[in-house]
Amino acid sequence: LVRLAELCEGPLSDGDRARQVWNDLLEIDPTHLGALGALEKIHERAKNWQELISVLRQRESVLDNESECRELSRHIGEIYERNLKDIDSAIAAYDEVLARFGDDRETLGALSRIYESGERWADLLEVILSELQLVSEGPARTELRFRAAELMRTRTEDVEGAVDRYAELLEDSPGHAGALASLQTLRDGDQ
């Protein structure tokens, strides 16, 4: 069956028949990674997104490498987000990645992008705070702290929380221009 599928894909240029043969092989051996990989490529080329998601889920269930499983699960979220424009399913897929494998910056970044474009400020703040837990020091931590403070000040109307965040940021980066300017804006607004 493998040889027949490869012939259908290659010299015979019969993608539909190749897909059928790979599916026949999976009926015999649902764990056949070669068949799953081939079907993944076929569905990706054909932009058969729902079928691709099914293949990715099946492939992920066969693998025992956590890193690969995380990547496949995240890819499902990306398909929902970018190709199907199904934001609710994308959020659910990314949330599943976090629930199964723990927080990671790439998945949190994807959720951050979705929440920001959807103006879901409370959810965005929660994601930024989760990401902040993953970054121990340096410019990335400073930027996340500033972003959280700005979000609290401008979107969630938690001015007191924003002031606390700015103070934490300024302890590590005393001359942070953005934090100083935002605190100045808050002070000027009180007068």
Side-chain angles (χ1 to χ4, degrees), residues 16-35:
D16 289 338
R17 180 72 177 130
R19 188 181 72 245
Q20 182 58 51
V21 174
W22 287 123
N23 280 320
D24 290 346
L25 178 55
L26 285 176
E27 285 183 24
I28 295 168
D29 180 4
T31 66
H32 195 283
L33 290 173

Side-chain angles (χ1 to χ4, degrees), residues 6 47 58 84-85 91 130 173:
E6 289 171 346
K47 299 182 177 170
Q58 186 173 354
L84 295 173
K85 309 294 186 215
I91 291 169
S130 292
S173 301

Side-chain angles (χ1 to χ4, degrees), residues 54-125:
S54 294
V55 169
L56 291 173
R57 288 185 197 276
Q58 186 173 354
R59 187 168 155 224
E60 190 266 333
S61 73
V62 171
L63 294 172
D64 59 359
N65 181 311
E66 185 175 302
S67 178
E68 288 181 64
C69 291
R70 178 192 297 266
E71 191 62 37
L72 288 174
S73 295
R74 189 182 302 120
H75 187 48
I76 291 169
E78 292 167 355
I79 292 168
Y80 279 122
E81 178 187 358
R82 295 182 178 145
N83 303 110
L84 295 173
K85 309 294 186 215
D86 182 347
I87 299 305
D88 290 335
S89 293
I91 291 169
Y94 290 134
D95 282 343
E96 183 180 330
V97 171
L98 298 176
R100 288 181 60 205
F101 304 107
D103 288 352
D104 69 87
R105 292 197 69 199
E106 192 171 340
T107 306
L108 290 169
L111 282 169
S112 179
R113 182 177 57 246
I114 290 172
Y115 291 146
E116 188 163 11
S117 69
E119 298 182 355
R120 293 174 58 169
W121 308 123
D123 292 327
L124 177 58
L125 180 60

Side-chain angles (χ1 to χ4, degrees), residues 1 7 17 23 25 41 68 82 96 105 107 116 128 137 142-143 148 158 161 164-165 168 185:
L1 286 175
L7 286 171
R17 180 72 177 130
N23 280 320
L25 178 55
K41 290 175 188 169
E68 288 181 64
R82 295 182 178 145
E96 183 180 330
R105 292 197 69 199
T107 306
E116 188 163 11
I128 291 170
E137 56 187 48
T142 301
E143 180 55 36
D158 181 4
D164 291 342
R165 291 283 169 185
E168 290 172 7
T185 300

